[in-house]
Amino acid sequence: MSPFSGAVTHAAEAAPAVTAATGTFQLIWLLIALPLVGAAILLLAGRRTDKWGHWLGLLASTASFVVAVLLFVAMLGQSDDQRTQVQHLFNWIAVGTFDVPVDLRLDQLSMTFVLLITGVGSLIHLYSVGYMSHDRDRRRFFGYLNLFVASMLLLVLADNYLLLYVGWEGVGLASYLLIGFWFFKDSAAVASKKAFVVNRVGDVGLSLAIMLMFVTFGSVSFEGVLGSASKGSQQSMTWIGLALLLAACGKSAQFPLQSWLLDAMEGPTPVSALIHAATMVTAGVYLIVRSGAIFDASLPARNAVIVVGAITLLMGAIIGCAKDDIKKALAGSTMSQIGYMILAAGLGPVGYAFAIFHLLLHGFFKADMFLGAGSVMHGMNDGVNMRRYGALRTVMKVTWITFMMGWLAILGIPPFSGFYSKDKIIEAAWSVSPVAGLVTLVGAGITAFYMTRLFAMTFHGEARWTDDVHPHESPWIMMFPIAILALLSAVAGFILNLNNAFVDWLKPVTGLEEPQLPFSSAVLPIAAIILVLIGAVLAWIPYATRAVPEVAPAGNLLTRAARADLYGDAANEAVFMRPGQYLTRWLVWFDNRVVDGVVNGTAATIGGLSGRARRLQTGFARSYALSMLGGAALVAAALVLVRL
Amino acid sequence: MTNSYWLLALLVVPLVGAALVMLVPKANETLAKQLALLISLVTFGLTIAMCLEFVVAKAAEFQFAYSISWVSNYNINFALGVDGIALVLIALSTSLVPIVLLAGWHDADGARGTVRGYVALILVLEAAMVGVFAATDLFLFYVFFEAMLVPVYFLIGRYGGPRRNYAAVKFLLYSLFGGLLMLASLIGLYVVSGNLTGHGTFDFTSLAALSIDPTTQKWLFAGFFIAFAIKAPLVPFHTWLPDAAAESTPGTAVLLVGVLDKVGTFGMLRYCLELFPDASHWATPLVIVLAVIGIIYGALQAIGQTDIKRLIAYTSVSHFGFIALGVFVMTSQGQSGSALYMVNHGFSTAALFLIGGFLISRRGSRLIADFGGVQKVAPVLAGTFLVAGLSSLALPGLSSFVSEFLVLVGTFERYTWVGVVATLGIVLAALYILLMYQRTMTGPVPEAVAEKVHDLRGREVLAIAPLLVVIIALGFYPQPVLDVVNPAVDRVMHAVGSTDPAPQVAPVAEGTHK
């Protein structure tokens, strides 16, 4: 018996009926159209919109949020089985039985994402007005941000996998453009390309998954695929599941496609907060949870998801421990936290709802901390090295307090947000497999270590600032969004967990099962909190109470490996990049010398090409006329022969 | 049957136009260009009007038929007509010509040939392109197939880059070789039709109705197929293309790679499959292997190139692999995808070649290494180049994605592993486009770039904008083209006796949720 066995029911069998969108729900398309129009104006009208472009960008995003709230209210007014609304826009691609419309689906799952994307998105737009105020290309930045929001909304609203793919790649494009926003830096240009190419490897997975769905079910719509998933062969479901997992690995920076996320920190910090923490990188979790019916039908696929999530959870956390660059430490943390979500998604119906719950809360507290990091950088001349931070609580009080909310939330200290989701994931993991359970527990301890290290190095201990730095608090336009996110980090988990409100809300889409534990369920939160406290204290003592060296010590083997991103890049270079470069170089030689050479050589041998070529060059018209004449004579002769 | 004059008009207008252009005094270059542009716009306008008359429901039939006896002794007719596939390819051709003329306004300035000669040759080429897609008599098709070579030869040889002579002769010899094989098969086909029915014919519909014995089919198929494989071109017949495209003016490269080469894949779809169905099935494994090799090999070559135009040419080798693959997997998704791919590839490659051309002419070098940081000094140029590149790498939301995905899904449903390998091409495509973009457009700005490269001007924007609009529009709303193409593809599928594989699980009717 597999160590990862677990009771599974098919969520899709309880799937609610689909309602054609009417009334308020006819506004669904506006969610996407508003930011899309914003992006189009900002990117097409160019410098003419420089003066007010950022306000337009903010307006477009906020308007989309207002529509989202209207839709949410309308959805609350519907009964549970009336909440899946589908809006048909037009027919996109139809060839034979391959018939894909542009349909948008708003249900509890996509509604959650829509609120997260437009809500946090709008806050980050507002923050960026301040953060990017000195950049002469601020308008272009907002154009890309709007493009991102539109694409991400398309991703979560699509009612079929091919349309989802458009949003999927659209966010990838926006991410590419934003990582490379400062394209005149080589490092940014390289990082953006890397992100796109690695994501493309994941896209191979999504492409194959869609093709497999079509071959298996004759459909690529959610209803057509997920509604019949239980009827497909287990082998097919496993392959589809694995292909979807590959896609998720690319987008969500999971092992083995994790390497791009740390480099992605080349982008401006609001981008790291919105795209590379709160929303886009969580798309893989969405994909897996949305495709729950596929994974319900395949134990091997679920196990693969759990393994990938567990590995990345630990990898990201270990990398996070060793980084001195505040953004890279947070990026490692993001990898790790998404590892939690992926792992939870792999647990099946015991985990789906909590994967999304954690995703939502992580969106709040990680965006809070990334924006906080941006605020710190803003006050520190864009320095990111935490070894030159320290004691910033004295000069950046608001940033310190708000960051603290995020820190407590990610640690999972009750009643802060992270506690409610992470604890449930740990519980669910134990119910499926002790190994997975142990990983989530240990991960919680490591998380406490690296987050406390980051927090202490930045805000506590001695000031280690370079001489030219005069730290100061950021303007209100940046602090206001942070404050909101800090508040959400503090209380959202508690509020949404009242009467299981959030999980019950999602249940009709994701299904829900109570985890069955062989021991009292009170054991786990206590164990988790003990581990968290140990981790936090282990970090607090050296980084808050003792002097932190301004130059990183050499460190042991593990530290050095973690600093080198656990050799992910080195492996990519050795296995793909360098052999690839040799291969293409050799192939170019091969094409020029061998393929072309054989052709030229053969021609020269048979017909004396080189000589004839020279003649053609000198007296072309005659020669051509001759060959045409030759051809014509041949035709004539043949035609005569035919008549005979 | 009454004759329709639409197609004849599309042939005659550019031809007469070319003659008119040649009457313009040699020194008055601007007038010659303006006249040529006007004529190409009239031709395009006529095409639009014709497309509006096209009956979509009968897209499998040859509409706007025109036929007069040409060489009555051999039953050769000057016969024209278009099905859905030919229609969209003609529309592609006549829409690209004005764009090419406008974008390449100064391409022929200072060349060995005259400017009026350049634009006149482009108009002659346009007529030949219309003819080759519109011919419904195989002999007429052959004549246009060969006639296209003449203007292209001169366009490369007299207006091209430093190695234009080598490139032009290579192009010509390859094409003549292919043409000769096709001619032999054509004659053979005539003989066979004579033997089977008592009187030989070149009429496509009559020939397609014959049942030729499989062995003969194989021989005849080979002649046509090799000619088309050279034209398209498939690996290993491709090496003329990078030379020809790199040495051409950007405009010539657009028409050569964007339209002319499509005659190859168009020919495979219409002539190889419908005339020789048994032989097509027999050759399918070989063609599929060649096509997949082409996809991967062309992409790897593109990654390794140091010259912008050669790089773009090799991306096309990869794309032609996709198109040929879609044709021969014998599924409706594959074939409709291929037909759509021919159109989409025409537009996105046109954008790449033209914008690449703007870049090259400014800096005076085709070498990627001579560029860098262009986005800083010419953001509009860089932005349009990126969109064109993204279309080339088949970004979902842009036109090429729809066709590429259809080809892939059409392949996958019949040949799973072939589909998997072909799908890997999307990673390589991201590499060749984004590496080129990174090396030319980003990073610090070298002095030579800062001095010489300025942003796009009004005329250039005017030429490129329609291409980008089409690329985006067909990405989100390709159905009008597919509606026109699908019936013709169904006719081909019927001719080769193929049907799409059924899904493993019988689909639940949509909307009737349990």
Side-chain angles (χ1 to χ4, degrees):
Chain A
M1 180 144 172
S2 158
F4 299 132
S5 62
V8 155
T9 59
H10 298 288
E13 276 168 13
V18 172
T19 314
T22 52
T24 316
F25 292 106
Q26 284 176 321
L27 298 181
I28 298 173
W29 67 279
L30 262 186
L31 289 168
I32 300 169
L34 288 165
L36 195 61
V37 168
I41 294 174
L42 293 175
L43 296 177
L44 291 177
R47 298 236 163 265
R48 283 176 283 271
T49 58
D50 270 0
K51 281 217 175 64
W52 43 268
H54 45 286
W55 295 119
L56 177 73
L58 176 63
L59 181 72
S61 172
T62 315
S64 190
F65 176 65
V66 171
V67 175
V69 172
L70 286 176
L71 288 167
F72 179 59
V73 172
M75 187 178 276
L76 288 179
Q78 304 282 335
S79 60
D80 255 9
D81 57 349
Q82 294 288 309
R83 284 180 177 172
T84 301
Q85 302 276 338
V86 172
Q87 182 174 32
H88 174 71
L89 294 181
F90 55 92
N91 294 321
W92 183 25
I93 304 172
V95 177
T97 53
F98 188 80
D99 187 351
V100 186
V102 174
D103 284 359
L104 302 179
R105 165 184 288 236
L106 191 71
D107 58 13
Q108 293 91 328
L109 181 59
S110 47
M111 189 74 244
T112 306
F113 272 88
V114 166
L115 287 170
L116 173 71
I117 296 158
T118 56
V120 175
S122 297
L123 287 173
I124 290 175
H125 274 70
L126 180 63
Y127 176 92
S128 304
V129 172
Y131 189 84
M132 299 297 285
S133 61
H134 300 298
D135 198 300
R136 59 190 291 271
D137 279 334
R138 177 164 63 168
R139 179 242 351 138
R140 183 164 59 91
F141 183 80
F142 276 83
Y144 293 164
L145 275 190
N146 271 197
L147 177 67
F148 169 76
V149 171
S151 305
M152 187 76 202
L153 289 169
L154 180 60
L155 195 168
V156 298
L157 286 169
D159 187 40
N160 63 66
Y161 284 94
L162 201 65
L163 189 62
L164 178 149
Y165 195 175
V166 176
W168 186 266
E169 198 86 341
V171 294
L173 172 66
S175 162
Y176 167 79
L177 294 169
L178 285 162
I179 296 170
F181 183 73
W182 290 312
F183 61 86
F184 40 84
K185 290 197 297 182
D186 274 330
S187 54
V190 172
S192 64
K193 180 201 67 198
K194 181 179 177 183
F196 196 98
V197 172
V198 175
N199 266 289
R200 269 258 146 159
V201 178
D203 292 348
V204 171
L206 187 54
S207 296
L208 292 176
I210 297 172
M211 293 179 218
L212 276 162
M213 287 169 186
F214 178 66
V215 171
T216 312
F217 302 109
S219 169
V220 298
S221 74
F222 290 159
E223 198 182 346
V225 173
L226 303 174
S228 310
S230 51
K231 289 184 227 142
S233 69
Q234 212 218 334
Q235 194 192 8
S236 299
M237 294 309 101
T238 302
W239 281 116
I240 295 176
L242 292 178
L244 288 171
L245 175 61
L246 179 63
C249 284
K251 197 59 78 192
S252 293
Q254 298 294 294
F255 178 80
L257 298 179
Q258 81 289 352
S259 67
W260 63 272
L261 184 63
L262 291 155
D263 294 10
M265 296 299 119
E266 285 286 342
T269 306
V271 173
S272 315
L274 178 60
I275 300 184
H276 304 123
T279 54
M280 184 192 82
V281 284
T282 59
V285 182
Y286 170 77
L287 185 68
I288 292 176
V289 172
R290 177 59 87 188
S291 313
I294 302 266
F295 289 92
D296 291 349
S298 164
L299 181 64
R302 281 205 308 284
N303 286 344
V305 174
I306 293 175
V307 169
V308 164
I311 291 176
T312 318
L313 187 170
L314 292 176
M315 268 184 88
I318 291 168
I319 291 172
C321 292
K323 291 288 176 184
D324 292 333
D325 176 327
I326 187 169
K327 285 181 71 181
K328 295 213 167 174
L330 284 171
S333 159
T334 303
M335 261 173 72
S336 172
Q337 293 296 309
I338 297 173
Y340 269 102
M341 302 171 208
I342 293 278
L343 188 151
L347 299 173
V350 281
Y352 294 140
F354 297 108
I356 299 299
F357 195 23
H358 194 57
L359 188 156
L360 179 71
L361 298 173
H362 173 260
F364 297 148
F365 61 70
K366 190 52 74 61
D368 168 46
M369 288 190 285
F370 255 116
L371 294 186
S375 170
V376 169
M377 288 162 59
H378 200 70
M380 300 293 285
N381 291 356
D382 291 328
V384 289
N385 185 359
M386 294 188 291
R387 294 193 178 272
R388 306 314 301 257
Y389 288 176
L392 288 175
R393 71 180 185 284
T394 53
V395 282
M396 305 177 82
K397 281 226 157 41
V398 184
T399 304
W400 173 55
I401 302 277
T402 50
F403 205 102
M404 191 188 294
M405 301 298 120
W407 171 61
L408 292 169
I410 196 173
L411 257 55
I413 306 287
F416 293 90
S417 286
F419 169 76
Y420 298 95
S421 50
K422 197 194 271 182
D423 195 57
K424 282 293 192 180
I425 291 178
I426 294 172
E427 199 179 314
W430 274 99
S431 78
V432 171
S433 141
V435 182
L438 203 62
V439 169
T440 54
L441 258 188
V442 172
I446 307 179
T447 305
F449 177 84
Y450 71 73
M451 249 8 261
T452 306
R453 172 179 177 271
L454 186 152
F455 185 70
M457 268 176 112
T458 304
F459 293 103
H460 294 268
E462 300 283 304
R464 302 176 298 275
W465 313 335
T466 47
D467 296 338
D468 56 338
V469 164
H470 308 285
H472 53 83
E473 191 55 279
S474 300
W476 73 267
I477 202 165
M478 288 166 65
M479 294 319 296
F480 173 72
I482 296 182
I484 305 266
L485 289 167
L487 186 68
L488 288 169
S489 308
V491 302
F494 176 76
I495 294 174
L496 292 175
N497 200 47
L498 286 175
N499 298 325
N500 288 325
F502 182 78
V503 170
D504 281 345
W505 149 265
L506 272 186
K507 196 166 66 178
V509 183
T510 58
L512 183 66
E513 273 174 23
E514 272 304 309
Q516 304 297 324
L517 289 175
F519 45 80
S520 160
S521 62
V523 175
L524 288 172
I526 295 168
I529 288 187
I530 292 171
L531 276 170
V532 163
L533 288 177
I534 292 173
V537 169
L538 282 179
W540 187 265
I541 293 169
Y543 292 103
T545 64
R546 295 185 195 152
V548 176
E550 286 172 8
V551 177
N556 58 24
L557 211 61
L558 182 63
T559 312
R560 287 204 298 274
R563 278 191 199 132
D565 307 346
L566 299 178
Y567 304 116
D569 281 333
N572 282 342
E573 265 173 41
V575 179
F576 297 110
M577 245 176 77
R578 273 196 296 273
Q581 281 166 350
Y582 287 126
L583 177 68
T584 53
R585 248 177 259 156
W586 180 78
L587 278 176
V588 169
W589 175 86
F590 177 78
D591 204 52
N592 289 337
R593 293 278 170 268
V594 181
V595 181
D596 210 21
V598 165
V599 170
N600 281 343
T602 315
T605 327
I606 298 170
L609 166 92
S610 43
R612 215 168 91 202
R614 222 171 298 128
R615 261 210 323 281
L616 278 164
Q617 283 166 42
T618 48
F620 162 75
R622 211 165 16 126
S623 307
Y624 188 77
L626 203 69
S627 30
M628 283 296 270
L629 194 70
L634 225 98
V635 180
L639 289 176
V640 170
L641 283 175
V642 172
R643 282 198 89 186
L644 291 173
Chain B
M1 195 169 73
T2 54
N3 278 328
S4 158
Y5 292 95
W6 281 113
L7 292 165
L8 197 61
L10 291 184
L11 270 177
V12 170
V13 170
L15 271 185
V16 172
L20 286 177
V21 167
M22 289 309 284
L23 292 177
V24 174
K26 202 188 279 183
N28 201 342
E29 298 183 343
T30 311
L31 181 64
K33 292 180 200 170
Q34 287 167 339
L35 185 60
L37 182 62
L38 180 71
I39 291 156
S40 67
L41 284 171
V42 168
T43 314
F44 178 59
L46 284 172
T47 312
I48 298 281
M50 183 181 84
C51 287
L52 294 175
E53 293 270 300
F54 190 83
V55 183
V56 176
K58 294 181 180 174
E61 299 166 21
F62 292 105
Q63 302 187 27
F64 312 123
Y66 174 88
S67 181
I68 52 164
S69 178
W70 185 15
V71 185
S72 55
N73 282 357
Y74 300 108
N75 204 5
I76 298 172
N77 294 312
F78 191 92
L80 305 172
V82 286
D83 61 2
I85 299 170
L87 181 82
V88 296
L89 289 171
I90 288 175
L92 169 72
S93 315
T94 62
S95 62
L96 283 180
V97 171
I99 288 171
V100 158
L101 285 170
L102 191 62
W105 203 248
H106 298 295
D107 278 0
D109 297 0
R112 196 165 59 161
T114 60
V115 170
R116 69 174 188 194
Y118 180 75
V119 294
L121 281 171
I122 288 185
L123 291 176
V124 172
L125 178 57
E126 178 171 29
M129 294 185 308
V130 169
V132 82
F133 291 124
T136 52
D137 180 285
L138 260 74
F139 192 83
L140 185 64
F141 170 76
Y142 171 74
V143 169
F144 281 121
F145 188 82
E146 294 288 40
M148 290 190 309
L149 303 182
V150 184
V152 175
Y153 175 84
F154 286 109
L155 282 170
I156 300 174
R158 296 184 79 87
Y159 300 91
R163 294 176 71 225
R164 55 182 176 256
N165 285 327
Y166 170 75
V169 170
K170 195 173 182 180
F171 161 74
L172 191 69
L173 290 180
Y174 261 95
S175 303
L176 283 176
F177 174 70
L180 208 64
L181 290 179
M182 185 161 91
L183 180 62
S185 279
L186 187 62
I187 296 163
L189 189 59
Y190 180 79
V191 174
V192 169
S193 73
N195 290 345
L196 286 176
T197 63
H199 42 268
T201 180
F202 286 107
D203 175 58
F204 171 74
T205 313
S206 313
L207 289 171
L210 298 176
S211 27
I212 307 169
D213 83 276
T215 318
T216 316
Q217 273 194 33
K218 287 176 194 170
W219 285 103
L220 299 176
F221 171 89
F224 277 89
F225 179 77
I226 294 173
F228 294 144
I230 290 174
K231 184 114 315 195
L234 294 189
V235 174
F237 306 113
H238 65 284
T239 53
W240 65 269
L241 183 71
D243 286 318
E247 298 303 326
S248 305
T249 62
T252 308
V254 169
L255 296 179
L256 177 67
V257 182
V259 181
L260 233 72
D261 290 353
K262 304 294 160 43
V263 178
T265 44
F266 166 79
M268 290 176 197
L269 186 54
R270 169 156 332 151
Y271 296 113
C272 287
L273 262 54
E274 287 199 70
L275 294 177
F276 317 112
D278 298 324
S280 296
H281 284 294
W282 162 75
T284 291
L286 176 71
V287 182
I288 285 180
V289 168
L290 284 183
V292 173
I293 289 176
I295 292 170
I296 304 296
Y297 184 85
L300 288 171
Q301 287 293 339
I303 294 171
Q305 294 304 310
T306 52
D307 173 318
I308 296 174
K309 279 164 105 180
R310 288 182 74 85
L311 192 158
I312 301 171
Y314 274 110
T315 66
S316 292
V317 172
S318 181
H319 292 148
F320 285 122
F322 275 110
I323 301 175
L325 181 65
V327 169
F328 274 87
V329 293
M330 313 283 179
T331 57
S332 60
Q333 287 82 25
Q335 293 181 350
S336 285
S338 284
L340 185 62
Y341 210 138
M342 292 186 220
V343 176
N344 292 339
H345 172 265
F347 288 116
S348 61
T349 305
L352 272 181
F353 267 125
L354 293 179
I355 303 166
F358 296 153
L359 190 64
I360 290 163
S361 68
R362 282 162 165 73
R363 173 67 181 79
S365 167
R366 298 197 315 234
L367 290 182
I368 292 170
D370 284 342
F371 292 90
V374 170
Q375 195 182 338
K376 189 97 186 167
V377 288
V380 178
L381 191 158
T384 52
F385 198 59
L386 184 63
V387 177
L390 293 172
S391 175
S392 181
L393 65 77
L395 186 91
L398 299 180
S399 57
S400 307
F401 169 72
V402 178
S403 38
E404 192 165 299
F405 198 84
L406 280 172
V407 168
L408 287 173
V409 91
T411 304
F412 191 88
E413 63 187 306
R414 209 181 281 286
Y415 308 99
T416 309
W417 288 104
V418 176
V420 172
V421 175
T423 305
L424 296 177
I426 71 171
V427 179
L428 301 178
L431 269 172
Y432 60 65
I433 290 296
L434 296 183
L435 268 172
M436 171 168 68
Y437 189 82
Q438 179 199 322
R439 289 170 182 166
T440 54
M441 301 296 178
T442 66
V445 187
E447 210 171 299
V449 169
E451 256 169 45
K452 294 178 181 167
V453 179
H454 53 84
D455 216 340
L456 295 188
R457 303 261 158 84
R459 170 183 58 80
E460 294 165 328
V461 174
L462 201 62
I464 295 304
L467 291 175
L468 302 188
V469 169
V470 170
I471 284 171
I472 295 170
L474 285 183
F476 280 95
Y477 199 50
Q479 199 56 39
V481 179
L482 286 171
D483 282 339
V484 172
V485 160
N486 283 340
V489 163
D490 290 342
R491 187 193 74 214
V492 177
M493 290 281 289
H494 183 73
V496 291
S498 289
T499 49
D500 294 337
Q504 291 168 10
V505 178
V508 186
E510 301 274 328
T512 55
H513 210 279
K514 59 193 150 73

